[in-house]
């Protein structure tokens, strides 16, 4: 039952082959017996899940079911869930029971999903390996000695390990696509503004975007349909019409123009990963696509630019955690300044502190022009690279990551080496473009991700392109041994 | 750009964040390395480039000036570290 997709399970539920309560119990039992060795979940919510499953079963028998009704999923612990602990992977919010639901949560609940629990993640979504979580690292189900990627590492690992049918994730610099690649699942970061950020704990507000993490492109389309759309509660939500993301999944790719940026296939890319990506691109040629080489000349500036913009926004956003209204508070503060300083010092972990300090530094008097303003200008150049590219091609393809999953602890002590792992994913966030990672041929038993970047609001095209590959190949059906 | 101990102390104060004494040297190294990565930006001529603060070119929406939220004081205070008589408590600030 756990190998089935949302579409297959939905059909089974509506045909009365099994109930949502049975399906939910099946996944709760799997979590109980298998998550101990992976640490994908921070909080498991069996009571909430079974209550939602019962309600879903009633909707199904009343003939009022949608495609997601009764489907067990996990929410990344960055999304506020009313009445349920929302930790964001941090000691700062270890005691935080959210008094409201994020819009994404509210919409998925309205669609009838069953929330099994809250997924582990890098603290405040800052990390590429899930090792910065206050709740400990997540293990990659393909090899437990390796990382699952991050920051949505719990979401990616639990979808790969079949500990939920799908999960939500968020992507500020690659946090959906990179873990999706390292765990062998499908992940979609929508266009900035497509999915509401209301109730999604802010890291870098001009970059953050929520999206689905699933085992197929079709499932991603079904999830995105429920998650996306204009939200008056988010001042940066885009007032764009919402297409039917499933309608064009099977459209022909005859004549599709694929651009391969030469900068994504240069030095630093693992030879095995390159070969897997090239094999997938050959599949697209067979499907009738035309492949051309393009250039995104400012690619090498994406990581440096990001590590000014993201920390600057992070230091501003995280100033709200002050030990006064919610979250962690230090013991016996001697005065107000001591309360702020120690609550923050004790509540935040190492990586979060590093980024807050970088942000505070680049925004401080005398440095703003040299760092933040400069970075915003280069952000424009990076965005213009894509603009020119999309005048020539329909989609851009390349690897999601430079290598397969690295070992736990391997890069944890060296922030700069860790940051360079997001070299292919960050530019799409800076430009605000949608991007996907889909599993392609594994290298030495470890998954590889093909990244597909589209033009603004072209998620339906990305899903079509990903779905056609998954109809022609079986890479996305591979499962880690023992799950 | 290389940061030293006093720079870290100053930045940590700006961020109102305590850092462990024995970690200050480590932060100085880490932050200097990150700023070294960031320094690649210096090689790019950007005099004629307009800064991009936001990925979408859209105007800030306005809404009708109406009360839409209900008062949930009790819910919000229930998750606060310390409250008394409907107020959030902090150490005394006025002598």
């Amino acid at each position: 039952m756990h190998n089935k997709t949302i579409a297959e399970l939905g059909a089974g539920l509506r045909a009365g082959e099994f109930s949502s309560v049975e399906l939910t119990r099946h996944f709760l039992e799997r979590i109980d017996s298998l998550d101990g060795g992976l640490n994908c979940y921070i909080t498991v919510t069996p009571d909430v899940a079974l209550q939602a499953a019962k309600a879903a079963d009633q909707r199904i028998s009343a003939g009022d079911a949608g495609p997601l009704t009764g489907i067990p999923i996990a929410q990344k612990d960055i999304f506020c869930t009313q009445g349920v602990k929302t930790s964001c992977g941090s000691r700062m919010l270890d005691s935080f029971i959210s008094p409201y639901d994020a819009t994404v949560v509210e919409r998925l609940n309205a669609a009838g999903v069953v929330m099994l629990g809250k997924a582990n993640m890098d603290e405040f979504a800052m990390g590429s390996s899930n090792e910065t979580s206050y709740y400990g690292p997540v293990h990659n189900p393909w090899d437990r000695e390796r990382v699952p990627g991050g920051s949505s590492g719990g979401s990616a690992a639990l979808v790969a390990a079949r500990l939920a049918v799908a999960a939500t994730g968020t992507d500020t610099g690659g946090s959906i696509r990179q873990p999706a690649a390292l765990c062998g699942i499908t992940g979609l970061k929508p266009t900035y503004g497509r999915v509401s950020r209301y109730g999604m704990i802010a890291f870098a507000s001009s970059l953050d975007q929520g999206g689905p993490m699933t085992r197929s492109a079709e499932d991603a389309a079904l999830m995105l349909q429920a998650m996306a759309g204009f939200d008056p509660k988010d001042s940066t939500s885009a007032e764009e019409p919402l297409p039917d993301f499933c309608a064009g999944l099977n459209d022909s790719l005859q004549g599709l123009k694929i651009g391969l940026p030469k900068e994504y296939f240069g030095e630093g890319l693992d030879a095995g990963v390159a070969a897997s990506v090239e094999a997938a691109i050959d599949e697209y040629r067979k499907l009738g696509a035309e492949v051309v080489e393009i250039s995104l000349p400012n690619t090498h500036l994406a990581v440096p630019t990001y590590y000014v913009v993201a920390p600057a926004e992070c230091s501003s956003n995280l100033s709200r955690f002050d030990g006064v209204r919610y979250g962690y508070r230090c013991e016996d503060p001697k005065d107000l300044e001591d309360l702020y300083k120690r609550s923050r010092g004790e509540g935040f972990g190492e990586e979060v502190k590093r980024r807050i300090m970088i942000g505070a530094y680049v925004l401080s008097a005398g440095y703003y022009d040299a760092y933040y303003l400069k970075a915003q200008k280069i952000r424009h150049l990076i965005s213009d690279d894509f603009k020119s590219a999309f005048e020539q091609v329909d989609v851009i393809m390349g690897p999601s990551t430079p290598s397969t999953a690295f070992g736990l602890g391997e890069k944890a002590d060296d922030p700069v080496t860790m940051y360079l792992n997001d070299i292919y994913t960050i530019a799409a966030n800076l430009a605000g473009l949608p991007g996907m990672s889909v599993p392609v041929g594994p290298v030495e038993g470890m998954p590889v991700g093909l990244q597909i970047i589209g033009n603004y609001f072209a998620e339906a095209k990305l899903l079509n392109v990903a779905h056609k590959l998954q109809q022609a190949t079986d890479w996305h059906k591979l499962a880690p041994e023992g799950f | 750009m290389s940061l030293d101990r006093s720079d870290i102390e100053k930045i940590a104060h700006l961020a109102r964040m305590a850092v462990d004494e024995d970690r200050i040297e480590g932060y100085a190294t880490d932050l200097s390395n990150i700023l070294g990565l960031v320094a690649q930006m210096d090689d790019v001529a950007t005099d004629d480039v307009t800064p991009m603060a936001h990925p979408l070119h859209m105007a800030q929406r306005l809404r009708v000036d109406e009360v839409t939220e209900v008062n949930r004081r009790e819910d919000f205070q229930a998750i606060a570290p310390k409250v008394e008589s409907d107020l959030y408590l902090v150490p005394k600030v006025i002598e």
Side-chain angles (χ1 to χ4, degrees), chain B residues 67-73 75-76:
Chain B
V67 177
T68 55
E69 298 301 310
V70 292
N71 185 358
R72 297 184 59 198
R73 179 196 293 268
D75 294 340
F76 297 149

Side-chain angles (χ1 to χ4, degrees), chain A residues 414-431:
Chain A
D414 182 358
V416 171
T417 307
M418 184 70 88
Y419 297 170
L420 290 171
N421 199 61
D422 293 332
I423 192 157
Y424 303 129
T425 46
I426 275 178
N429 297 84
L430 290 169

Side-chain angles (χ1 to χ4, degrees), chain A residues 41 68 70 104 117 120 137 139 152 181 205 219 224 251 272 274 281 319-320 336 371 426:
Chain A
Y41 283 91
L68 297 181
V104 162
N120 202 344
H139 299 259
S152 311
S205 301
D219 281 2
L224 184 63
D251 287 358
I281 288 162
S319 63
R320 74 192 58 177
L336 189 58
Y371 287 108
I426 275 178

Side-chain angles (χ1 to χ4, degrees), chain A residues 19 28 61 63 98 121 130 137 163 173 255 264 278 310 336-337 352 380 432:
Chain A
S19 69
L28 288 171
S61 56
S98 175
M121 55 180 284
N130 217 110
L163 301 183
Y264 285 29
E278 277 154 21
L336 189 58
E337 187 167 297
V352 172
H380 212 151

Side-chain angles (χ1 to χ4, degrees), chain A residues 316-332:
Chain A
S316 168
N317 272 323
L318 271 61
S319 63
R320 74 192 58 177
F321 299 103
D322 57 6
V324 175
R325 291 149 304 147
Y326 50 83
Y328 180 81
R329 176 183 212 152
C330 67
E331 296 281 339
D332 304 319

Side-chain angles (χ1 to χ4, degrees), chain A residues 267-310:
Chain A
E267 204 185 326
L269 176 61
D270 175 84
V273 171
S276 288
V277 167
E278 277 154 21
I281 288 162
D282 276 340
E283 291 294 329
Y284 281 108
R285 287 196 181 94
K286 288 185 212 161
L287 291 166
E290 188 192 332
V291 180
V292 294
E293 187 186 272
I294 58 166
S295 176
L296 300 169
N298 292 297
T299 295
H300 65 290
L301 294 169
V303 174
T305 303
Y306 179 88
Y307 278 98
V308 174
V309 173

Side-chain angles (χ1 to χ4, degrees), chain A residues 55-192:
Chain A
D57 283 332
Q58 282 171 5
R59 273 179 72 172
I60 292 163
S61 56
D64 176 32
L68 297 181
T69 310
I71 303 292
I73 69 155
Q75 293 283 3
K76 183 176 181 180
D77 211 16
I78 199 168
F79 288 104
C80 285
T81 44
Q82 185 162 358
V84 173
K85 173 166 135 175
T86 301
S87 75
C88 218
S90 181
R91 183 186 194 193
M92 183 59 87
L93 291 177
D94 184 48
S95 64
F96 180 64
I97 310 289
S98 175
Y100 71 105
D101 276 332
T103 296
V104 162
V105 171
E106 194 179 277
R107 288 184 177 176
L108 285 169
N109 287 347
V113 301
V114 171
M115 181 178 85
L116 296 169
K118 305 292 296 286
N120 202 344
M121 55 180 284
D122 278 302
E123 184 178 8
F124 284 102
M126 298 175 201
S128 307
S129 66
N130 217 110
E131 292 169 293
T132 73
S133 170
Y134 175 61
Y135 302 92
V138 173
H139 299 259
N140 191 315
W142 294 84
D143 175 353
R144 290 178 200 205
E145 300 302 311
R146 301 201 206 197
V147 303
S151 68
S152 311
S155 297
L158 70 86
V159 170
R162 279 81 174 143
L163 301 183
V165 187
T168 55
T170 60
D171 191 315
T172 303
S175 286
I176 287 176
R177 291 160 289 156
Q178 185 255 17
L182 303 191
C183 289
I185 65 158
T186 299
L188 168 62
K189 179 202 98 72
T191 309
Y192 180 82

